Amino acid sequence: LSPVPALLNRQKNLSENPEIFAFVLSSSVLRLLLRFTVGDVFYVDGEFNDEFLWCTPVTGAPSGLVPVALVQDASELDDYAGFPWFFSRLTKQAANDYLLDHGVPGSYLIRPSEVSPGDYSLSVHLGGRMVSRFKISRDGRHYAMGGRMYDSVEAVVQHYRQSQIVEGMALGQPCKKIDEYMRQELRGSGVQIDRNQTHLNSDAFVGFRNRPAISEVISRREEAATKNGHLVKKADNKKTWKEYFFLLKGAEKQLFFFENERQTRPKGMIDLSYSSIYNVHDSLHGRANCFQIIVRAFNEVSTYYLCGNTTEDKNDWMTILQPLCNPSKNSRKSASGRLLEQTRSLVMNIVDAQRLPRNATRPYCIISLDDVSMARSQTVEAAHPVWEEEFKLDDVHPDITSFSVAVMSRNKRIKDTFIGQVQINISALPNRAYVDEWHELRPRTKDKAACGSIRIKAKFQHDIILPEEEYRQMKDLLTEPDFATVQALGDVLKDRRELASAILQICRQEPSGCVRMLRTITTMEIQQHDDVPTLFRGNTLATSAMDMYMKSTALAYLHATVKDMVNEIIALKQSCEINPTRMERNEDMSANLKCLLNVLNKFIDRVFGSITSVPESLRYVLGCLQTGVMAKWPGNDVVQIRVVSGFFFLRLICPAVLNPRLFNLVTDPPSPSASRTLTLVAKCIQNLANLVEFGAKEPYMKTVNHFINDNKDRMKLFVNTLCTMPHCPATTENIKPQQLCRDLANVYHMCVDNMTEIRKSQEKSHSAALRKLIVVTDMVCKAEERHR
């Protein structure tokens, strides 16, 4: 679009506007010049002849040239500065008056929220002297309005331009910014307007500017990025977590982080040249999907803890960062000359401790690899603590030579007390064999005596991953339509969660593979089960697989539906405690109960209204569960509800409420009072999901029984509607071949480690599936010997 007509029209009025001056443009530049006005905002894509910038308007209009002299850096402006509907300097009342004075019915404007920084307020002219306001809440990288989630404020506008925002009215055109408002906005932003008149050459082409901003500029830095995305970060010397937008420049080995994706000035940078990257067990911070980058430079050590939204997100970042931080040595050449990946993992069970000193009243353990903290046990209040906790640390770097277990004692008001630690060399552990031993706990000072002992059961696993073709028969066997081998292997193995995790990953590459697998093994368990009360209550392969699948597919749903409610509960100032033995002396029971019931009603309203947000694949699987139960127990209406609510509420919603950090719903741990409220809410939702009232076991909870009775029918309706997904949705995920080989190798090694039990079970049951599995495992074993 040529700007010539508009600019020539301005040329006629030069004497009326002293803020205009001239510059000469060649005809080739003229054809590429953008049409723009005061307050427009661009992304800068590059420079042209040192005098022009090649820019793209943030509104998505075509790119073009903008003179360098007419723009200024806009990195500190609001993310949506430059959009015609965004007004950065209006108060609530001023926005109301502005719309009434300059708008028409349907016109609208958006401004930053005065009371909630980071959120926005949408004001709409409804006709007459009526203006309505709507809150647009920021939720991480998304925005929420009207119970829906959007990727941007612009997406909110686009939605309500096509849908009714109030009955009978959609958004029309944004309220026009009058000249007086633009001058106020420039003055408010600290811009000084240059009123010096410049003499014009009558033969020159004329442009114009209000100094210094006909346009504000945002630089685009992603063009050289290797990867970018959102992660939650915490420094080692900080207690709080915060979400940032990360941008990796692989060639420079630099990882930048920004306040958000529209900022151009980084908040900080991590130099990967002097860094090492490590996995982090969920237990260390009580959060899932964490890893850490440790920078060792100039005799200083800095630790950055980073957290992805999903396991896949974390793995993608670690895969890209690994070769930049500590170049991988996890490969070796086989006998045939092919380069094979190696895996190293450490499995340890912290069993118990004895003879701890008297000051170890609340002991817990910290597990470290070469002095880098990796995992943490639970705190146990006992003189002779028993933990019986197992930790698996994957992808142990070849440079790691030892691991240590330090026993600490938790204190409420002072720093936790160091009791003692044991250090074990990895080379002392045989490959793939557990070593169960007692170890003396040594203090930091060598001349002091031992301060107790700890029992550790540890196993080091060092394996190679074969080429994909060597696992082909194993993959075909595990993904057969009846999944008989998967079910038979699940009946033999003790660690069904590890098997479920690997099988889910393998099935992700098949069209709707996970859905078909879950439908098959859950139906098989229903058919083999006769005791209704214990259906899906044990640690079976079906329950483990369903548990993992729900948490991986429904994480975005939890963030959209549960996150705001959890944060509202955490922010409550009114106690919800209704147990008389736990209440403060002057607490009002009736006020607490009223607050609790209010929270419960808001919570279930939010969940019951979220059916369309539940992933379709999960709805289909839950529907298959209900269909299977109806076929087995056709007259039992209660079990038809409980089989679905038992998974959806008891294994997804309630765990997210009880431990929101594990689902990345909150950044910091809730206070004891907030944790107690979350516990009460989860207990009530659990009983409602089970359609059971509170009884003599917890008599103080009987006061919420009327809430349960009032909402039983709503719960039944929600569950039945949730299951109305008659057709299997088509889902295919592209899993990297190397990751697929890792998962197949994991299943193969499970078979090798449990071959004795597999053979015994096959001989007893004459299972054809297990017989095939034994043969295929033997084939892979021989292939492994060829490649060693």
Side-chain angles (χ1 to χ4, degrees):
L1 295 175
S2 171
V4 176
L7 295 178
L8 289 179
N9 290 338
R10 291 276 187 166
Q11 189 175 9
K12 298 175 183 178
N13 302 317
L14 290 179
S15 60
E16 301 173 11
N17 193 342
E19 297 167 15
I20 295 175
F21 67 95
F23 55 92
V24 179
L25 299 175
S26 67
S27 59
S28 61
V29 171
L30 177 60
R31 287 194 297 270
L32 299 174
L33 195 67
L34 276 180
R35 183 196 301 267
F36 52 89
T37 187
V38 176
D40 286 351
V41 181
F42 304 102
Y43 292 118
V44 176
D45 297 304
E47 296 184 1
F48 184 80
N49 291 339
D50 295 328
E51 297 178 1
F52 296 86
L53 299 173
W54 184 260
C55 298
T56 302
V58 296
T59 56
S63 303
L65 292 176
V66 174
V68 173
L70 303 190
V71 297
Q72 75 174 27
D73 191 330
S75 59
E76 299 302 322
L77 291 182
D78 189 279
D79 295 350
Y80 293 97
F83 284 85
W85 37 258
F86 184 74
F87 288 65
S88 64
R89 303 193 59 77
L90 288 181
T91 63
K92 178 172 65 176
Q93 186 58 46
N96 189 80
D97 295 339
Y98 192 96
L99 270 174
L100 294 176
D101 293 340
H102 306 290
V104 296
S107 59
Y108 63 98
L109 61 84
I110 297 176
R111 59 180 179 82
S113 171
E114 295 176 72
V115 297
S116 182
D119 295 342
Y120 295 89
S121 179
L122 166 62
S123 299
V124 185
H125 194 310
L126 301 183
R129 301 294 294 175
M130 294 178 60
V131 173
S132 186
R133 292 191 306 275
F134 303 88
K135 183 179 180 181
I136 304 175
S137 302
R138 184 159 191 162
D139 184 4
R141 74 186 78 175
H142 300 292
Y143 295 85
M145 177 175 159
R148 293 170 59 97
M149 299 298 293
Y150 302 86
D151 292 331
S152 64
V153 175
E154 188 180 11
V156 177
V157 172
Q158 293 300 325
H159 174 76
Y160 285 107
R161 283 183 65 86
Q162 301 175 14
S163 304
Q164 293 185 9
I165 190 165
V166 295
E167 187 173 354
M169 180 180 289
L171 294 181
Q173 295 298 319
C175 195
K176 186 177 180 180
K177 296 181 180 179
I178 61 172
D179 292 342
E180 178 60 25
Y181 171 79
M182 293 305 300
R183 284 194 288 271
Q184 291 177 6
E185 188 160 43
L186 288 174
R187 282 196 290 271
S189 62
V191 170
Q192 299 298 318
I193 301 178
D194 184 359
R195 299 189 177 275
N196 295 328
Q197 185 172 359
T198 304
H199 296 287
L200 304 173
N201 182 339
S202 60
D203 296 328
F205 178 81
V206 178
F208 58 94
R209 72 172 176 181
N210 287 341
R211 184 169 180 84
I214 277 185
S215 166
E216 313 288 351
V217 179
I218 297 177
S219 300
R220 177 178 287 164
R221 304 191 57 172
E222 284 84 346
E223 57 190 46
T226 306
K227 179 177 174 62
N228 61 64
H230 289 262
L231 293 169
V232 182
K233 182 185 79 72
K234 185 186 90 74
D236 191 33
N237 58 345
K238 303 288 185 181
K239 292 185 178 180
T240 58
W241 294 77
K242 184 176 180 181
E243 183 172 317
Y244 291 96
F245 179 73
F246 282 79
L247 186 148
L248 172 65
K249 289 195 172 182
E252 291 85 2
K253 293 189 175 183
Q254 294 174 333
L255 181 62
F256 295 90
F257 51 95
F258 303 78
E259 288 284 353
N260 56 63
E261 60 268 37
R262 293 177 178 267
Q263 293 292 315
T264 60
R265 296 179 182 176
K267 193 75 175 177
M269 186 269 288
I270 302 174
D271 189 348
L272 303 177
S273 303
Y274 305 97
S275 301
S276 300
I277 186 169
Y278 300 91
N279 219 327
V280 174
H281 196 271
D282 296 354
S283 61
L284 187 63
H285 297 294
R287 304 176 67 98
N289 312 317
C290 291
F291 61 98
Q292 58 185 315
I293 297 176
I294 298 178
V295 182
R296 296 181 175 92
F298 307 108
N299 296 322
E300 292 186 0
V301 178
S302 301
T303 303
Y304 300 89
Y305 294 104
L306 305 175
C307 180
N309 276 331
T310 63
T311 303
E312 291 75 17
D313 190 22
K314 180 196 79 169
N315 290 340
D316 285 346
W317 275 103
M318 288 194 68
T319 300
I320 292 175
L321 292 171
Q322 188 86 42
L324 301 177
C325 292
N326 32 13
S328 178
K329 299 178 183 178
N330 287 339
S331 60
R332 54 173 281 187
K333 282 190 176 181
S334 68
S336 61
R338 298 184 67 168
L339 203 61
L340 302 179
E341 185 182 359
Q342 300 180 81
T343 63
R344 295 172 175 83
S345 59
L346 186 63
V347 183
M348 66 188 78
N349 189 319
I350 309 298
V351 185
D352 60 343
Q354 293 181 355
R355 296 182 288 108
L356 297 182
R358 291 182 179 179
N359 62 338
T361 55
R362 304 178 69 201
Y364 66 90
C365 300
I366 295 289
I367 300 168
S368 304
L369 297 180
D370 280 358
D371 298 325
V372 177
S373 299
M374 305 296 290
R376 171 178 173 156
S377 74
Q378 297 290 327
T379 300
V380 179
E381 296 190 28
H384 304 289
V386 177
W387 291 285
E388 281 287 359
E389 288 188 62
E390 184 169 280
F391 303 90
K392 184 177 182 182
L393 306 179
D394 292 316
D395 297 318
V396 176
H397 196 269
D399 291 341
I400 301 294
T401 59
S402 66
F403 70 92
S404 62
V405 178
V407 177
M408 309 286 293
S409 183
R410 181 81 177 272
N411 297 313
K412 290 185 177 180
R413 294 182 176 83
I414 59 175
K415 188 176 180 181
D416 292 353
T417 305
F418 174 83
I419 303 301
Q421 75 173 17
V422 56
Q423 185 164 328
I424 302 171
N425 290 327
I426 291 178
S427 59
L429 301 176
N431 190 33
R432 307 194 66 81
Y434 275 105
V435 175
D436 189 349
E437 293 181 343
W438 284 91
H439 303 269
E440 284 192 341
L441 291 168
R442 310 300 306 183
R444 289 197 175 103
T445 306
K446 293 183 178 180
D447 57 351
K448 289 188 177 181
C451 43
S453 59
I454 186 169
R455 182 185 171 195
I456 301 172
K457 185 179 178 182
K459 177 177 70 172
F460 181 67
Q461 299 176 178
H462 180 193
D463 302 302
I464 62 171
I465 297 178
L466 302 177
E468 185 178 356
E469 61 267 19
E470 302 291 3
Y471 297 114
R472 187 168 292 119
Q473 289 85 353
M474 175 75 73
K475 178 176 177 290
D476 292 343
L477 189 62
L478 295 173
T479 55
E480 286 181 344
D482 61 0
F483 293 96
T485 303
V486 172
Q487 184 65 44
L489 188 56
D491 291 339
V492 175
L493 299 185
K494 294 180 180 179
D495 189 355
R496 296 182 178 93
R497 290 191 64 83
E498 187 175 5
L499 175 63
S501 176
I503 296 299
L504 281 171
Q505 290 295 332
I506 293 167
C507 288
R508 288 185 194 277
Q509 263 202 342
E510 302 294 317
S512 302
C514 289
V515 172
R516 291 188 296 106
M517 187 271 291
L518 290 169
R519 179 186 62 197
T520 303
I521 65 173
T522 53
T523 301
M524 197 177 305
E525 181 157 335
I526 291 171
Q527 292 172 351
Q528 296 173 354
H529 210 92
D530 294 323
D531 187 17
V532 172
T534 59
L535 179 64
F536 293 122
R537 299 296 183 181
N539 183 26
T540 64
L541 178 64
T543 55
S544 297
M546 276 293 297
D547 198 28
M548 292 181 176
Y549 182 74
M550 284 194 304
K551 289 175 181 176
S552 64
T553 59
L555 186 63
Y557 166 78
L558 291 175
H559 277 249
T561 307
V562 178
K563 182 176 181 178
D564 284 348
M565 278 303 306
V566 168
N567 281 282
E568 286 179 25
I569 291 171
I570 291 174
L572 278 176
K573 294 182 180 179
Q574 171 68 47
S575 171
C576 293
E577 184 58 70
I578 57 175
N579 185 348
T581 64
R582 303 182 65 140
M583 292 175 60
E584 298 292 336
R585 179 175 298 177
N586 296 321
E587 273 194 83
D588 185 349
M589 168 75 80
S590 60
N592 291 359
L593 177 60
K594 182 179 179 180
C595 183
L596 177 61
L597 292 174
N598 182 50
V599 168
L600 288 171
N601 283 304
K602 288 178 65 176
F603 190 93
I604 62 166
D605 285 346
R606 184 77 60 86
V607 174
F608 287 167
S610 67
I611 288 181
T612 56
S613 301
V614 180
E616 291 184 353
S617 59
L618 178 56
R619 291 182 63 186
Y620 176 77
V621 173
L622 294 173
C624 292
L625 280 174
Q626 191 179 59
T627 301
V629 167
M630 290 170 65
K632 183 72 178 284
W633 296 283
N636 194 330
D637 295 336
V638 174
V639 72
Q640 296 171 15
I641 301 299
R642 284 184 178 178
V643 71
V644 176
S645 63
F647 278 109
F648 189 79
F649 285 95
L650 275 61
R651 293 178 178 267
L652 181 66
I653 300 292
C654 290
V657 173
L658 284 170
N659 195 349
R661 279 207 304 169
L662 200 58
F663 294 81
N664 290 329
L665 301 181
V666 298
T667 55
D668 299 312
S671 67
S673 175
S675 294
R676 176 59 181 166
T677 302
L678 291 171
T679 300
L680 290 171
V681 170
K683 287 167 72 71
C684 296
I685 298 300
Q686 179 175 321
N687 274 40
L688 175 60
N690 283 327
L691 306 178
V692 174
E693 300 172 33
F694 288 99
K697 185 178 179 180
E698 293 176 301
Y700 66 91
M701 294 296 295
K702 290 182 180 181
T703 53
V704 297
N705 279 344
H706 65 89
F707 160 80
I708 294 173
N709 290 323
D710 290 346
N711 290 283
K712 281 183 179 180
D713 289 339
R714 293 183 68 193
M715 174 61 73
K716 294 176 183 178
L717 178 62
F718 172 79
V719 169
N720 290 329
T721 308
L722 186 68
C723 295
T724 55
M725 186 60 60
H727 303 293
C728 179
T731 56
T732 304
E733 300 181 42
N734 295 320
I735 305 298
K736 297 177 182 178
Q738 196 58 41
Q739 182 60 45
L740 175 63
C741 290
R742 275 183 166 233
D743 293 315
L744 288 166
N746 196 9
V747 176
Y748 160 69
H749 288 120
M750 290 182 211
C751 295
V752 172
D753 293 344
N754 296 274
M755 186 51 66
T756 302
E757 289 78 9
I758 292 173
R759 290 186 185 277
K760 287 181 180 179
S761 180
Q762 195 280 325
E763 291 171 1
K764 183 178 180 180
S765 63
H766 304 289
S767 168
L770 288 180
R771 185 168 61 251
K772 292 179 186 178
L773 182 62
I774 293 170
V775 172
V776 170
T777 302
D778 187 56
M779 292 170 61
V780 178
C781 186
K782 291 177 179 177
E784 191 175 50
E785 292 174 359
R786 289 197 306 270
H787 285 282
R788 284 192 181 275

